[in-house]
Amino acid sequence: MDINDSESSTIDDKTLVAGFDIKPKNTEINLIGKCLKERYVIESKLGSGGMSDIYRAKDLNLESAGVAEPYVAIKVLLQQFSSTPEAKQVLVKEAHQTQQLSHPNIIRVYDVESHDNFHFIVMEWLDGETLEQIIKRSKPSGIPFEGAYKIIEQIANALIYAHKAGIVHTDLKPSNIILTRKGEIKVFDFGVAQSFQLNIDKYALQNHEQQSPLTGFTPAYASYEQLKDQPPCAADDVYAFSCIAYELLSSKHPYQRITADKVDIKNTPLSKPAHLSWYLWLSFKNGLAILKADRTQSINDVLKGLSKQILPTLSISAAAVIALVVLAQTYLIKEETIDDLSADVALAEKYNKERRNFDQLTSSQVLATVDSIPEKYQLYKQGLLREHRQGIIDIVEQRIVDVPNQANSVYKNYSQIDIVINDALTLYPDSFRLQQLQNEININRQATTDALVERLNLLLTQGRYDEKGDNYIEGIISDLSYIDPYFKFKPTDNAFNLYSTKFNTAVSAHDASKISELIKVGELAFNNYSEAEPLLTFGKNMEAFG
């Protein structure tokens, strides 16, 4: 995954996700293979930032304890900063700030250590994507509201928790937020986070330590007040959070990445994201106000503004009552008979009873019956799907795991898995988790296909036509067809040249047994190679005429 950002990658030190590829600015010491503190074995480099490199490491203590994935992320201060007190101070501050925050949507920091003049932080290992990548992939229209809101809500929960603890992030941006493969949001990089005073003790000695010259923020997400060097407060995070929410919904920055202190307020109207209703937009845009006095003051208020409804949602029961009132009025106006009204009441009661039956369904029952829900309940059907979304997606994941292998084979039934995922995507087309699962399955299938093709070409290139077991040509071709029914194997030119030579030699020697063997191999492995067709036709004619 490549998350280079034209504006922020040169100053960001924020990379904790598998596969990041950020070009380092300096020639660094290669730590691959080094063991820090006799515990952390550096396995691979994930990325580089302005002040540090990020590595994946194996924790030997976790491995010895039998943990299935004993990995951690190691953030190592670059050597040119190892003797700079301010740089070490920033690293220690990031660790301590984050350790104060124990929340499921905030990355866990385990320790801050030094070894052989290397200063580093040990953090939880995350496998996923940054919001920066997700936003880029959602261009040009952004993410539908329902999917975006699930991300926005988790970010908000992390910030609300941090603010209650008296910590404001001050450098919130898409590249500092990860969506893991499990669908969980993780906010990280509190390296420049600052404490703001909540319930201040007037008798306590206050810390007036000056900011390190190495701390900072990302201009496109910095509030007007930050850019004017005003003291940090929750409203700074409100501005950055609102910008991120706007980008998720539109794939665009609300002010085209112009810094807040350069925005011409009077002549720069904000455009409503297509995925946001006018009703929600009226309150949400206040979080994007340039001036603090005009801006929504808390993350919680922004979240409430995105979750409110135009009118309270009427339950089916209330709707039935209203229907009865309308029917009664109609009866009075049109002087319909009591029998007609009684029939309508009975119909409403039946409707209510059926609705209550739906309310009692489990996620698996909803999934099993969703296609049979009558047309008149379509709106209620959508409500059930929203309510049971996570449970149904969990069931789909388990069904994928439970798809059996081919008989006497190690290969999954990918066709059946495709059906399971595609059926689920018809219900939740905006689900990131389902899209990730589909992508993982496609990658797995392609890797398996490539490995079988490579083995098959090796056998053909070496003329090993009659081997058995794992190298049985007919078995490999059968496996390829099972993995992907639409895949057509085409051998390499070298494989065909050897086959042609062997075929002509057998013909010259009038070796009928060898010709029959080669025809069988040809029909299996060379049937999609056009130049093999004349050989096979000639050989079959020879067999026919003895």
Side-chain angles (χ1 to χ4, degrees):
M1 291 182 286
D2 184 3
I3 61 152
N4 291 329
D5 187 309
S6 59
E7 184 227 36
S8 62
S9 63
T10 58
I11 63 172
D12 286 350
D13 194 12
K14 334 288 187 190
T15 314
L16 296 180
V17 183
F20 282 177
D21 181 19
I22 300 177
K23 184 179 180 181
K25 295 177 3 178
N26 301 286
T27 302
E28 309 297 345
I29 296 174
N30 182 11
L31 293 181
I32 306 300
K34 185 175 181 61
C35 185
L36 300 175
K37 302 295 288 187
E38 299 182 350
R39 175 175 178 178
Y40 305 110
V41 179
I42 305 296
E43 290 193 342
S44 60
K45 185 175 180 180
L46 306 177
S48 299
M51 286 176 54
S52 55
D53 289 333
I54 308 295
Y55 297 90
R56 185 174 96 151
K58 180 181 289 184
D59 184 336
L60 299 180
N61 287 2
L62 294 179
E63 184 179 44
S64 64
V67 175
E69 294 189 0
Y71 303 111
V72 293
I74 303 284
K75 184 173 186 175
V76 184
L77 196 65
L78 296 178
Q79 282 296 285
Q80 58 264 40
F81 295 116
S82 61
S83 59
T84 304
E86 291 89 348
K88 288 187 285 185
Q89 188 180 64
V90 169
L91 198 71
V92 171
K93 181 181 177 184
E94 175 179 351
H96 289 171
Q97 290 276 33
T98 310
Q99 283 178 327
Q100 293 179 47
L101 304 173
S102 177
H103 189 275
N105 297 124
I106 297 176
I107 191 171
R108 294 194 299 274
V109 167
Y110 302 131
D111 207 352
V112 57
E113 290 276 10
S114 294
H115 179 89
D116 286 348
N117 203 34
F118 293 104
H119 308 287
F120 58 94
I121 297 176
V122 183
M123 297 170 284
E124 71 173 308
W125 165 253
L126 299 177
D127 190 8
E129 292 183 290
T130 63
L131 293 196
E132 183 179 50
Q133 292 174 285
I134 292 169
I135 289 168
K136 286 180 179 178
R137 197 170 62 246
S138 73
K139 289 183 177 180
S141 57
I143 302 169
F145 179 79
E146 185 178 345
Y149 182 79
K150 290 186 178 296
I151 296 173
I152 292 167
E153 184 179 30
Q154 292 186 66
I155 302 169
N157 290 338
L159 294 174
I160 290 169
Y161 174 82
H163 291 175
K164 285 181 179 179
I167 294 177
V168 58
H169 193 290
T170 74
D171 192 26
L172 193 70
K173 57 188 169 185
S175 61
N176 279 348
I177 304 169
I178 292 173
L179 178 65
T180 70
R181 291 185 183 276
K182 295 180 180 179
E184 298 171 343
I185 281 294
K186 295 282 186 175
V187 178
F188 64 97
D189 204 338
F190 283 80
V192 295
Q194 302 196 21
S195 299
F196 60 98
Q197 299 302 318
L198 295 176
N199 303 318
I200 186 169
D201 181 354
K202 64 180 179 180
Y203 298 106
L205 178 64
Q206 301 304 314
N207 181 4
H208 296 291
E209 176 186 336
Q210 294 297 314
Q211 286 296 306
S212 164
L214 294 173
T215 61
F217 45 73
T218 304
Y221 300 92
S223 70
Y224 178 88
E225 293 74 30
Q226 279 181 279
L227 295 167
K228 295 300 181 182
D229 294 325
Q230 294 184 21
C233 68
D236 298 327
D237 282 352
V238 168
Y239 179 78
F241 169 74
S242 299
C243 286
I244 293 169
Y246 187 99
E247 283 192 273
L248 286 168
L249 291 163
S250 67
S251 77
K252 303 175 184 67
H253 187 280
Y255 296 108
Q256 295 76 51
R257 306 190 75 79
I258 298 173
T259 58
D261 59 342
K262 303 296 184 186
V263 172
D264 183 348
I265 300 176
K266 293 182 180 179
N267 298 311
T268 309
L270 284 167
S271 300
K272 181 186 77 67
H275 294 304
L276 197 62
S277 70
W278 278 106
Y279 178 67
L280 297 181
W281 171 239
L282 292 175
S283 60
F284 170 69
K285 67 179 181 180
N286 292 332
L288 296 166
I290 296 297
L291 300 179
K292 177 181 175 181
D294 303 325
R295 194 181 312 142
T296 305
Q297 295 300 297
S298 75
I299 299 292
N300 195 42
D301 287 343
V302 177
L303 189 62
K304 284 182 179 178
L306 285 172
S307 59
K308 63 185 179 180
Q309 303 293 325
I310 296 178
L311 292 173
T313 303
L314 294 174
S315 67
I316 302 297
S317 299
V321 172
I322 292 172
L324 292 178
V325 172
V326 172
L327 287 171
Q329 291 175 335
T330 303
Y331 164 74
L332 293 173
I333 293 171
K334 296 186 177 181
E335 298 181 353
E336 293 179 348
T337 64
I338 294 297
D339 290 340
D340 290 338
L341 182 58
S342 297
D344 289 328
V345 171
L347 185 62
E349 288 178 349
K350 179 184 177 184
Y351 182 88
N352 240 356
K353 182 179 179 181
E354 291 176 350
R355 189 272 305 169
R356 285 193 295 271
N357 290 337
F358 286 133
D359 280 343
Q360 297 171 7
L361 295 178
T362 64
S363 294
S364 59
Q365 290 170 333
V366 170
L367 184 57
T369 61
V370 66
D371 291 333
S372 62
I373 294 177
E375 184 67 29
K376 63 182 178 180
Y377 292 119
Q378 287 308 299
L379 287 177
Y380 194 67
K381 169 183 172 181
Q382 295 305 315
L384 282 173
L385 288 173
R386 283 195 297 273
E387 181 181 350
H388 291 273
R389 180 187 180 103
Q390 189 56 55
I392 289 175
I393 291 177
D394 289 344
I395 291 170
V396 170
E397 285 199 58
Q398 189 58 49
R399 285 185 178 180
I400 292 172
V401 172
D402 293 341
V403 168
N405 291 0
Q406 180 183 15
N408 302 318
S409 173
V410 297
Y411 303 116
K412 280 283 190 183
N413 188 332
Y414 289 100
S415 296
Q416 184 60 41
I417 292 175
D418 284 340
I419 293 172
V420 172
I421 293 179
N422 288 330
D423 285 348
L425 282 170
T426 61
L427 301 178
Y428 303 109
D430 63 335
S431 170
F432 286 117
R433 182 57 188 144
L434 291 177
Q435 291 168 9
Q436 285 179 323
L437 285 170
Q438 188 176 55
N439 186 49
E440 290 169 7
I441 292 300
N442 289 337
I443 291 173
N444 194 318
R445 172 165 37 204
Q446 187 60 53
T448 304
T449 300
D450 290 346
L452 289 173
V453 167
E454 183 177 359
R455 189 198 308 171
L456 185 53
N457 269 318
L458 177 64
L459 294 171
L460 296 173
T461 302
Q462 296 177 352
R464 296 156 60 187
Y465 302 146
D466 55 356
E467 293 195 23
K468 301 299 180 183
D470 289 342
N471 293 330
Y472 183 40
I473 288 177
E474 185 173 354
I476 295 174
I477 291 174
S478 176
D479 286 339
L480 284 169
S481 178
Y482 178 79
I483 291 167
D484 185 354
Y486 301 102
F487 179 77
K488 293 184 177 181
F489 171 73
K490 186 174 181 180
T492 63
D493 291 341
N494 288 339
F496 174 71
N497 290 339
L498 178 61
Y499 175 79
S500 177
T501 299
K502 286 180 174 290
F503 197 99
N504 289 329
T505 300
V507 169
S508 298
H510 300 284
D511 188 339
S513 174
K514 191 65 175 177
I515 291 173
S516 295
E517 177 188 328
L518 289 169
I519 288 174
K520 181 179 179 182
V521 172
E523 289 178 333
L524 285 170
F526 295 94
N527 60 331
N528 293 316
Y529 199 99
S530 58
E531 294 181 33
E533 186 176 349
L535 289 180
L536 295 174
T537 301
F538 181 76
K540 289 176 182 178
N541 289 337
M542 285 189 66
E543 278 188 320
F545 291 104

